[in-house]
Amino acid sequence: MSRNPQPQEWLTLDAASSPPRLYATGEWTLAHYASLQKAVSDMTASITADVEFDYNGLRSLDTSGAFLLSKLLRTSSASDVAGIGQSLPSAKRNLLRAVAATATGDRAIDSQHQSHTVTNVLERVGMTMVTIQHQQIRLLGFVGLTLERLFYTMWHPRRWRVTSLVSHMEQTGLNAVPIVALLTFMVGAVVAFLGSTVLADFGATVYTVDLVAFSFLREFAVLLTAILMGGRTASAFTAQIGSMKANEEIDAIRAIGLDPMELLVLPRVLAMLASLPMLTFLAMIAGLTGGGLVCALTLDIPPVMFVNLIKSDVGVRHFLVGIAKAPAFAFLIAVIGCLEGFKVSGSAESVGEHTTSSVVQSIFVVILLDALAALFYMEMGW
């Protein structure tokens, strides 16, 4: 029997035997790691799939040595975890098997990450759809719970939180007046300017008044106001309730016998229901003012004529169509903001994630509901 010794006799390969036999000898510990690593690197190219391992000369073994041996095992058919190290004492055998099993798991994870891109995309899409399904189920349940507490509280005036309601109306309504008025004023001016530019080619610039009036009374005023409230107020609701959840204040509220729905959710929902229609009306006035200013400066349509054209061409029903959507938007924005706040798990990162989620969900729901309402109004001829 001829052997080809490696440096320091760490590994010895008997290529003449059938099947080839690899002898591991010495102390495979961290103290000799550099030498062991070189021996393993030199031996790897000589190992075939049918080689057998002999550990009888292995005097000591620790995790670093077991790791190097597991690298050799991967290159042969002896990598089956159950059959590793049969000739070793139980302690060394269990250590080598555990390290080899960990290495096998790492390869499984690597192969999973290297799977087909299309499969990964489809998996992500499926997980996203399941998440959306769970979100909608929880949202419907929270809507039902909110309505139940609202109807119950209506018949019990002692449970009304008037001070909290007024405070939230100030935060959501009064403090939002400048940004809503400024934004809708500028959008009204832009719509009037674009309308006059396009309609000038047809000699119908006077219909710019109708364009501004129809767009703001039916769509732009309520939609822009709801989007602003989704970004401004829904995020505030989530951050406020989420911070209370993270600090365990909601648990304290329950512990003293109070209902978080009545104390935290209903005042915010009612404040939004009262504030958003008023802000929508303000947005209509601001948008018409911006459009009227552009018409007066570029089209020589004085304010009196602008108002008279609106009175003669635009019916009251267009105003009612727009303002009727405001309570529905307000309720959904407030409910989504509060629900995401209750979902916070207790960390600052969770507060940020759910705040972002509430803004995205509320804006998406508002736009979706507005599109459905527009189709419904069109079919009804309103």
Side-chain angles (χ1 to χ4, degrees):
M1 181 177 67
S2 62
R3 297 183 181 179
N4 299 321
Q6 293 296 316
Q8 298 187 24
E9 298 281 342
W10 298 114
L11 292 169
T12 305
L13 178 64
D14 183 2
S17 64
S18 181
R21 199 169 188 84
L22 180 67
Y23 297 88
T25 59
E27 297 182 356
W28 285 63
T29 59
L30 183 61
H32 308 288
Y33 187 83
S35 300
L36 290 169
Q37 188 177 29
K38 185 177 185 305
V40 169
S41 177
D42 294 341
M43 182 61 69
T44 301
S46 304
I47 295 179
T48 58
D50 58 345
V51 71
E52 290 185 355
F53 287 77
D54 189 317
Y55 308 100
N56 290 326
L58 196 63
R59 293 195 299 272
S60 59
L61 179 70
D62 64 4
T63 306
S64 58
F67 171 73
L68 293 175
L69 279 177
S70 67
K71 292 178 63 175
L72 288 174
L73 288 169
R74 295 183 212 174
T75 62
S76 70
S77 59
S79 59
D80 180 28
V81 175
I84 288 176
Q86 293 291 347
S87 60
L88 284 172
S90 60
K92 296 178 182 178
R93 181 172 65 249
N94 293 335
L95 175 61
L96 183 57
R97 288 180 178 180
V99 173
T102 302
T104 304
D106 292 340
R107 295 204 309 272
I109 293 174
D110 293 340
S111 63
Q112 181 180 3
H113 285 309
Q114 294 173 1
S115 59
H116 202 277
T117 304
V118 176
T119 304
N120 292 336
V121 171
L122 292 176
E123 181 182 0
R124 294 283 297 271
V125 171
M127 293 174 62
T128 303
M129 296 304 297
V130 171
T131 302
I132 292 175
Q133 179 189 10
H134 292 165
Q135 285 180 345
Q136 299 312 308
I137 291 174
R138 296 185 68 175
L139 177 60
L140 289 175
F142 195 75
V143 167
L145 183 60
T146 303
L147 291 175
E148 186 269 332
R149 299 310 300 170
L150 178 60
F151 291 141
Y152 174 79
T153 308
M154 286 176 58
W155 305 107
H156 298 80
R158 285 188 174 185
R159 294 181 174 271
W160 295 355
R161 306 285 175 175
V162 179
T163 303
S164 179
L165 174 62
V166 174
S167 175
H168 287 300
M169 285 184 63
E170 179 184 4
Q171 296 174 11
T172 61
L174 186 61
N175 294 346
V177 167
I179 184 63
V180 170
L182 179 62
L183 178 66
T184 51
F185 176 85
M186 292 189 295
V187 172
V190 170
V191 170
F193 180 77
L194 293 177
S196 63
T197 302
V198 174
L199 294 174
D201 297 335
F202 305 95
T205 54
V206 70
Y207 289 106
T208 303
V209 178
D210 295 349
L211 174 63
V212 173
F214 276 104
S215 61
F216 269 87
L217 292 179
R218 294 182 67 96
E219 295 292 337
F220 282 172
V222 65
L223 186 60
L224 291 174
T225 304
I227 291 175
L228 279 175
M229 290 298 100
R232 180 183 182 276
T233 306
S235 60
F237 288 173
T238 303
Q240 292 166 2
I241 297 178
S243 298
M244 296 179 68
K245 181 75 177 297
N247 295 329
E248 299 183 355
E249 295 178 37
I250 295 179
D251 295 334
I253 290 173
R254 291 193 178 99
I256 62 178
L258 297 177
D259 185 1
M261 292 296 296
E262 293 182 7
L263 193 65
L264 303 177
V265 177
L266 291 186
R268 289 172 168 81
V269 172
L270 293 175
M272 279 292 291
L273 286 172
S275 300
L276 191 58
M278 291 188 288
L279 290 174
T280 300
F281 179 76
L282 175 66
M284 292 177 180
I285 300 301
L288 292 176
T289 302
L293 180 63
V294 172
C295 290
L297 296 177
T298 62
L299 302 178
D300 295 328
I301 299 177
V304 175
M305 183 179 177
F306 184 87
V307 174
N308 289 332
L309 287 173
I310 293 177
K311 289 172 59 178
S312 61
D313 297 344
V314 182
V316 180
R317 64 186 178 88
H318 300 292
F319 166 78
L320 297 177
V321 163
I323 204 70
K325 293 184 284 188
F329 292 168
F331 181 79
L332 289 174
I333 291 171
V335 166
I336 290 173
C338 294
L339 174 60
E340 290 299 315
F342 281 107
K343 289 182 181 179
V344 171
S345 60
S347 63
E349 181 182 2
S350 179
V351 174
E353 290 176 355
H354 288 285
T355 300
T356 303
S357 177
S358 69
V359 173
V360 173
Q361 286 187 57
S362 57
I363 292 177
F364 175 78
V365 168
V366 163
I367 294 176
L368 176 63
L369 188 60
D370 184 75
L372 295 176
L375 293 175
F376 175 76
Y377 291 152
M378 182 180 65
E379 292 296 329
M380 297 299 293
W382 293 350

